[in-house]
């Protein structure tokens, strides 16, 4: 997430380079090196008619599949691209059904276990180096990221400050980086809060932004202007418990790790837990669903801590950016309803310019527009909450890719993803420093 506003001695602003919020399903506890995904496939289908969509909804529910996109079976409709992770023991049933129903499909990942093992092998081959040699082009564990944050706090006191806004359900600190060269008066602030869980460029985004700020402050006029006039608040890992769990147990864990005494399923979708049309359309009231909204708004300590931080500084905050995966979209409010925001001319223009700047790096095509129309209707998310609470510029990035790798984006794509996303973020930030056209 990102916020922009007038800074105080306790505010921080930050623009995330690239962070993908992996949408992943709770599949239970397991060791990361077991064979739980052996033979599993990821399949893409696009129903051509409402009859096909209804049939897919039924078989998905029957087989209890993992939907990678969209986030809920209820979103499966005519023309909607659906990427589904199907376990080996159910894949034959699904494929036979598709062939009999003559529904076209494409296998995106033939064996999910092999894809996970390839990623893990690259990670285990790397030796841990000193923090001064922190590699910005690979995925890092939560411990590595937080060690790096403290290292910058000690070695770059003129640019970076680290502070905690609370603790997670399991007691881990919720750390934020403040990045700025400006005096703590008269200026605005930007804040970024990636809601990512499993290892993806989303988590590396905030890290990369700070790296670019340190590297280019003296040589890049735009970066210098940004850091001289804005505070940047960067939260590299929002769901710290879920992120840690994705490294130690389940590579495709998405939710938080809170417990519900009445159900065996753990966790809440942290992007359905905000107090804005909470648990309405696009969210689930069942604890075992990936889009579970929680027992009440801000039930998750992670959400409550960030919401409190935003409430405390909302008069200074000018923009909020959150980062997710995957679809290659730049979205703005509203998500929970089909309606036009009052300042759509300014926000829409900023989104258009940002997508154009992003495309200039590697030709990556992004769609942009109101989330409810460009993606689907969803309630209780942080972007809508930020906007409804007085933050005029609220965006959500759905980063690379469009399905070839899905939630397993290779490390080789971290750098180009970060490079292009940084251009978009810088463009939005510079837009805030000018009068809206």
């Amino acid at each position: 997430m990102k916020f922009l506003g007038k800074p105080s001695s306790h505010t921080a602003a930050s623009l995330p380079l690239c962070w993908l919020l992996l949408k992943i399903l709770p599949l239970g506890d397991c060791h990361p090196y077991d064979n739980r995904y052996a033979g599993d496939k990821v399949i893409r289908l696009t129903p051509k008619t409402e009859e096909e969509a209804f049939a897919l909804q039924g078989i998905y529910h029957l087989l209890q599949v993992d939907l990678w996109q969209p986030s809920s079976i209820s979103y499966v409709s005519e023309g909607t691209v659906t990427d589904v992770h199907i376990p080996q023991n159910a894949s034959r049933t699904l494929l036979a059904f598709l062939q009999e129903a003559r529904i076209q499909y494409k296998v995106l990942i033939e064996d999910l276990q092999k894809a996970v093992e390839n990623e893990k092998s690259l990670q285990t081959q790397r030796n841990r180096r000193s923090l001064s040699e922190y590699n910005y082009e690979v995925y890092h564990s939560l411990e590595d990221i937080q060690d790096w944050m403290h290292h910058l706090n000690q070695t770059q006191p003129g640019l970076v400050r680290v502070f905690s806004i609370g603790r997670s359900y399991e007691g881990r600190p919720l750390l934020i980086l403040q990045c700025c060269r400006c005096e703590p008066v008269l200026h605005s602030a930007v804040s970024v809060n990636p809601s990512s869980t499993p290892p993806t460029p989303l988590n590396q985004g905030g890290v990369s932004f700070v790296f670019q700020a340190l590297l280019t402050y003296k040589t890049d006029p735009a970066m210098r202007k940004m850091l001289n006039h804005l505070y940047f608040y960067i939260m590299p890992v929002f769901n710290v418990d879920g992120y840690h769990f994705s490294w130690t147990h389940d590579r495709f864990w998405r939710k938080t790790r809170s417990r519900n005494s009445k159900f065996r399923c753990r966790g809440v979708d942290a992007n359905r837990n905000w107090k804005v049309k909470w648990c309405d359309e696009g969210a689930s009231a069942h604890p075992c669903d990936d889009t579970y909204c929680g027992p009440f708004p801000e039930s998750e300590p992670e959400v409550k801590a960030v919401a409190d931080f935003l409430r405390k500084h909302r008069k200074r905050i000018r923009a909020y950016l959150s980062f997710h995966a995957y679809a290659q979209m730049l979205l703005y409010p509203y998500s929970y309803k089909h309606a036009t925001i009052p300042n759509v001319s300014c926000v829409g223009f900023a989104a258009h310019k940002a997508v154009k700047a992003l495309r200039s790096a590697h030709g990556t095509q992004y769609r942009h527009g109101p989330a409810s129309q460009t993606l689907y209707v969803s309630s209780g998310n942080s972007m809508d909450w930020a906007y409804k609470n007085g933050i005029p510029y609220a965006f959500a990035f759905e980063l690379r890719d469009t399905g070839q790798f899905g939630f397993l984006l290779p490390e080789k794509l971290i750098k180009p993803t970060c490079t292009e996303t940084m251009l978009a973020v810088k463009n939005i930030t510079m837009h805030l420093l000018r009068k809206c056209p």
Side-chain angles (χ1 to χ4, degrees):
M1 296 179 249
K2 280 188 183 176
F3 336 106
L4 299 175
K6 295 179 181 178
S8 71
S9 58
H10 299 290
T11 53
S14 87
L15 301 174
L17 252 189
C18 59
W19 294 311
L20 303 173
L21 169 63
L22 295 186
K23 293 183 172 182
I24 313 162
L25 306 178
L27 302 177
D29 296 358
C30 73
H31 189 279
Y33 297 104
D34 66 12
N35 290 317
R36 67 171 306 162
Y37 300 119
D40 290 11
K41 301 181 187 301
V42 177
I43 299 172
R44 168 164 290 181
L45 311 95
T46 305
K48 295 181 178 179
T49 65
E50 286 300 332
E51 289 76 14
E52 286 188 1
F54 183 76
L56 288 177
Q57 288 180 343
I59 194 71
Y60 287 171
H61 180 75
L62 178 67
L63 298 179
Q64 296 184 328
V65 302
D66 264 352
L67 267 179
W68 280 20
Q69 71 165 339
S71 60
S72 171
I73 290 176
S74 63
Y75 293 138
V76 176
S77 60
E78 179 183 352
T80 300
V81 175
T82 68
D83 293 346
V84 55
H85 161 212
I86 184 75
Q88 181 183 32
N89 59 3
S91 62
R92 291 182 180 178
T93 302
L94 177 61
L95 294 179
F97 168 82
L98 296 175
Q99 291 167 5
E100 184 173 346
R102 296 183 179 180
I103 298 176
Q104 294 184 350
Y105 67 90
K106 177 182 179 181
V107 178
L108 298 179
I109 300 177
E110 186 68 41
D111 190 319
L112 191 58
Q113 181 67 30
K114 290 182 179 179
V116 172
E117 288 174 356
N118 289 338
E119 179 185 75
K120 287 290 182 184
S121 66
L122 291 175
Q123 293 169 357
T124 55
Q125 288 171 14
R126 296 194 298 263
N127 294 322
R128 172 67 184 273
R129 298 185 177 183
S130 67
L131 288 170
S132 61
E133 298 177 325
Y134 188 93
N135 191 339
Y136 293 88
E137 297 180 22
V138 302
Y139 297 124
H140 290 275
S141 67
L142 178 66
E143 293 76 12
D144 282 357
I145 293 171
Q146 293 190 337
D147 286 348
W148 166 83
M149 294 173 75
H150 289 301
H151 174 73
L152 285 186
N153 191 48
Q154 295 171 0
T155 59
Q156 301 290 338
L159 179 63
V160 174
R161 183 172 74 90
V162 175
F163 59 95
S164 173
I165 59 170
R167 289 193 171 271
S168 68
Y169 178 84
E170 294 180 340
R172 295 181 174 87
L174 303 173
L175 299 181
I176 286 183
L177 276 170
Q178 173 184 291
C179 191
C180 185
R181 285 286 190 190
C182 49
E183 294 296 324
V185 291
L186 300 179
H187 297 290
S188 296
V190 184
S191 178
V192 183
N193 206 335
S195 304
S196 175
T197 309
T200 63
L202 174 54
N203 308 103
Q204 288 303 100
V207 170
S208 299
F209 174 81
V210 177
F211 171 70
Q212 289 294 323
L214 294 171
L215 186 67
T216 66
Y217 175 76
K218 293 182 178 180
T219 59
D220 182 351
M223 180 65 75
R224 187 162 57 250
K225 184 175 182 179
M226 287 161 49
L227 295 177
N228 284 346
H229 291 81
L230 295 168
Y231 280 111
F232 291 88
Y233 298 99
I234 304 171
M235 194 175 186
V237 185
F238 176 89
N239 180 12
V240 292
D241 295 344
Y243 187 78
H244 176 75
F245 191 76
S246 74
W247 277 78
T248 59
H249 289 78
D250 186 346
R251 173 61 178 81
F252 296 110
W253 184 264
R254 173 185 177 179
K255 299 194 291 183
T256 62
R257 292 293 298 161
S258 57
R259 291 184 179 276
N260 187 314
S261 60
K262 296 181 181 180
F263 295 87
R264 64 173 178 82
C265 301
R266 294 184 64 166
V268 167
D269 183 343
N271 206 34
R272 298 291 191 280
N273 192 233
W274 297 73
K275 195 174 183 179
V276 54
K277 291 294 180 179
W278 174 78
C279 221
D280 208 323
E281 185 176 354
S284 171
H286 197 287
C288 291
D289 289 343
D290 287 330
T291 55
Y292 176 46
C293 59
F296 54 87
E298 298 181 21
S299 63
E300 306 310 283
E302 300 86 353
V303 174
K304 180 68 163 58
V306 174
D308 285 346
F309 178 82
L310 290 172
R311 277 188 285 261
K312 181 178 180 181
H313 303 294
R314 62 183 171 186
K315 291 184 179 180
R316 299 182 178 93
I317 293 172
R318 290 277 297 155
Y320 172 94
L321 282 70
S322 62
F323 296 78
H324 310 258
Y326 56 92
Q328 295 179 192
M329 297 178 181
L330 178 54
L331 309 172
Y332 50 85
Y334 297 104
S335 289
Y336 69 88
K337 64 179 179 179
H338 293 287
T340 301
I341 56 176
N343 63 337
V344 67
S345 59
C346 290
V347 173
F349 181 76
H352 170 75
K353 297 290 286 185
V355 166
K356 184 177 180 181
L358 185 152
R359 186 171 61 247
S360 69
H362 302 289
T364 307
Q365 298 285 339
Y366 267 56
R367 295 168 58 197
H368 65 90
S372 58
Q373 300 173 34
T374 311
L375 190 57
Y376 44 68
V377 174
S378 65
S379 59
N381 67 59
S382 64
M383 179 183 69
D384 280 351
W385 186 95
Y387 186 79
K388 294 287 285 185
N389 278 268
I391 300 174
Y393 290 84
F395 295 98
F397 282 80
E398 296 284 344
L399 299 180
R400 290 197 191 193
D401 56 6
T402 56
Q404 180 182 358
F405 299 107
F407 298 135
L408 285 171
L409 198 74
E411 289 183 332
K412 66 182 180 180
L413 295 181
I414 290 178
K415 183 175 181 179
T417 304
C418 288
T419 299
E420 65 193 14
T421 309
M422 173 62 109
L423 291 177
V425 169
K426 287 172 66 176
N427 197 279
I428 290 173
T429 306
M430 296 302 291
H431 178 85
L432 301 176
L433 294 174
R434 300 188 295 265
K435 289 186 177 180
C436 181

